[in-house]
Amino acid sequence: ILKDYNLLSDLIALAIERAVAINAVLRASKVCQKVFQNLVTSDTVIKKDRSPVTVADFSAQAVVNKILYESFPNDPIVGEEESGSLRGDSGKELRNKVLSLVNTVLDTPLNDNELLETIDRGSFPGGSSGRMWTLDPIDGTMGFLRGDQYCIGLALIIDGDVHLGVLGCPNLPVDLKVPEGERGSLFIAVKGQGAFQHKFSSTEETQICLADISSPLAASFCESVVAEHSSHSDAAKIASLLGITKPPLRMDSMCKYCAVARGDADIYLRLPVSMDYEEKIWDHAAGCILIKEAGGIISDINNKPLDFSLGRTLKSNKGIVVAHSKIHGQVIDAVQQVILKK
């Protein structure tokens, strides 16, 4: 009876976290959409001016951190941003833009000092014990500027294990087969409870899963738009080894996890462009639980599980391999053949 009671308590508690995380990600997504509508122009894209992304990054982190703090004041946060460039006279213009945007979506407005304190709640170093949230306020900088794919990713990690992930994808079509159709997709996964999607315009959730695929021959890759994030040439060699002929689905950000989780593509590879690079936990935690709950396997290129207990980075892992359980082993074999030859 005690065991059943503890399980029920966990589910009730996670239901609260789930609802708060969804609210936080949706509000942060709304802020990012406002930034794009008001600050991104053809000129900023041509000049590769990333200032709108900077505004959106700070604004989204402030919104999520504030909402998390109101419900879970004792939970630390591993966030991507810190407030240094918003401080003092030199940061006043940027700070005012961020503050104005943040207060359009919060129930209780922040002042200057509260804004800075809220953003800096994301400075937790991470670790292996207790609860912590990890946040990527905008994943997919260039996707955001182009009006393509970007993602707000939030995850709850308990004792080094991801228990909850919410990913907001403001520009991702609700149905990729209808690319000109409705956009704005939210993805939610809780450990042991499955993976779900709902569109921004509704609260009705649909359970999702990876496409049921038994052979890599029928598979398609999902990979980054820009090769600086993952080696396209290595991916092409791996595809050839696996006999894959379909063209890759290329998109920015953690939206790739979402695309695979709902069956738009079958394999996601993030192949290291440098063996010294350490992936950040906020880039993968929410996607990791989504893939697992949608029926997939996620590992590094050495088939090791991703370890979120070692701080702010995946220090013990190299690269990312995502695939259906029926073909993951074959994908790993092909990845290792290509990577080990280098």
Side-chain angles (χ1 to χ4, degrees):
I1 294 175
L2 180 61
K3 183 179 179 182
D4 290 341
Y5 176 79
N6 289 337
L7 177 59
L8 180 61
S9 296
D10 287 346
L11 290 174
I12 292 171
L14 285 175
I16 297 169
E17 276 87 345
R18 189 184 197 273
V20 170
I22 288 171
N23 177 41
V25 170
L26 283 174
R27 293 200 189 203
S29 298
K30 188 174 181 180
V31 161
C32 293
Q33 289 172 310
K34 285 175 182 281
V35 173
F36 183 81
Q37 291 161 5
N38 297 326
L39 298 180
V40 176
T41 66
S42 57
D43 196 42
T44 62
V45 177
I46 291 168
K47 293 181 178 178
K48 296 186 178 178
D49 174 9
R50 298 193 179 197
S51 59
V53 183
T54 303
V55 174
D57 264 325
F58 282 125
S59 300
Q61 181 154 317
V63 168
V64 173
N65 285 4
K66 171 67 171 171
I67 291 171
L68 290 179
Y69 182 73
E70 288 174 344
S71 295
F72 313 110
N74 296 320
D75 285 0
I77 303 167
V78 179
E80 187 175 17
E81 304 299 334
E82 55 85 23
S83 70
S85 58
L86 297 176
R87 295 181 177 273
D89 291 340
S90 62
K92 184 177 181 180
E93 182 180 355
L94 179 57
R95 184 171 69 245
N96 287 343
K97 285 181 181 178
V98 172
L99 188 64
S100 176
L101 280 159
V102 165
N103 285 337
T104 64
V105 300
L106 289 178
D107 295 331
T108 305
L110 300 174
N111 61 35
D112 276 28
N113 288 334
E114 289 169 337
L115 174 71
L116 301 175
E117 290 172 4
T118 298
I119 290 169
D120 284 341
R121 287 196 186 105
S123 62
F124 187 65
S128 60
S129 62
R131 287 165 50 109
M132 65 179 181
W133 297 84
T134 186
L135 168 68
D136 193 335
I138 284 198
D139 186 42
T141 298
M142 297 313 296
F144 174 83
L145 289 173
R146 290 193 307 268
D148 290 333
Q149 301 313 321
Y150 67 97
C151 178
I152 298 92
L154 178 64
L156 173 64
I157 299 171
I158 304 174
D159 296 333
D161 188 24
V162 186
H163 280 245
L164 164 67
V166 177
L167 301 99
C169 308
N171 288 335
L172 188 64
V174 173
D175 183 348
L176 204 64
K177 297 184 186 68
V178 189
E180 301 308 316
E182 184 176 357
R183 294 186 169 217
S185 302
L186 191 80
F187 297 83
I188 311 111
V190 176
K191 186 176 180 180
Q193 298 180 31
F196 297 84
Q197 173 185 352
H198 75 70
K199 50 190 179 182
F200 279 13
S201 62
S202 168
T203 57
E204 183 180 348
E205 296 183 5
T206 303
Q207 189 161 8
I208 58 172
C209 62
L210 273 75
D212 189 7
I213 187 169
S214 57
S215 168
L217 291 171
S220 62
F221 272 106
C222 191
E223 63 184 16
S224 299
V225 173
V226 290
E228 68 188 63
H229 293 155
S230 182
S231 173
H232 286 175
S233 61
D234 285 347
K237 293 173 186 174
I238 292 163
S240 178
L241 278 175
L242 292 169
I244 294 172
T245 57
K246 292 180 181 179
L249 172 63
R250 287 182 176 162
M251 60 174 64
D252 299 283
S253 80
M254 279 188 280
C255 287
K256 293 186 285 293
Y257 282 118
C258 304
V260 173
R262 70 180 185 184
D264 296 333
D266 306 295
I267 299 166
Y268 167 37
L269 299 180
R270 187 172 172 100
L271 303 172
V273 291
S274 164
M275 295 308 288
D276 296 329
Y277 181 71
E278 295 180 2
E279 297 282 354
K280 310 299 188 294
I281 65 170
W282 53 76
D283 284 327
H284 303 288
C288 179
I289 186 70
L290 184 72
I291 290 296
K292 287 181 177 179
E293 290 300 314
I297 293 179
I298 179 169
S299 71
D300 71 2
I301 62 172
N302 297 309
N303 206 19
K304 291 171 57 180
L306 304 189
D307 188 346
F308 293 93
S309 71
L310 302 176
R312 293 170 68 89
T313 68
L314 297 172
K315 291 182 177 65
S316 68
N317 298 116
K318 294 300 174 190
I320 307 287
V321 178
V322 172
H324 194 285
S325 57
K326 293 178 181 177
I327 64 170
H328 185 269
Q330 293 168 269
V331 177
I332 285 288
D333 289 344
V335 167
Q336 292 186 349
Q337 284 186 58
V338 171
I339 298 298
L340 293 176
K341 284 181 181 178
K342 296 177 73 174

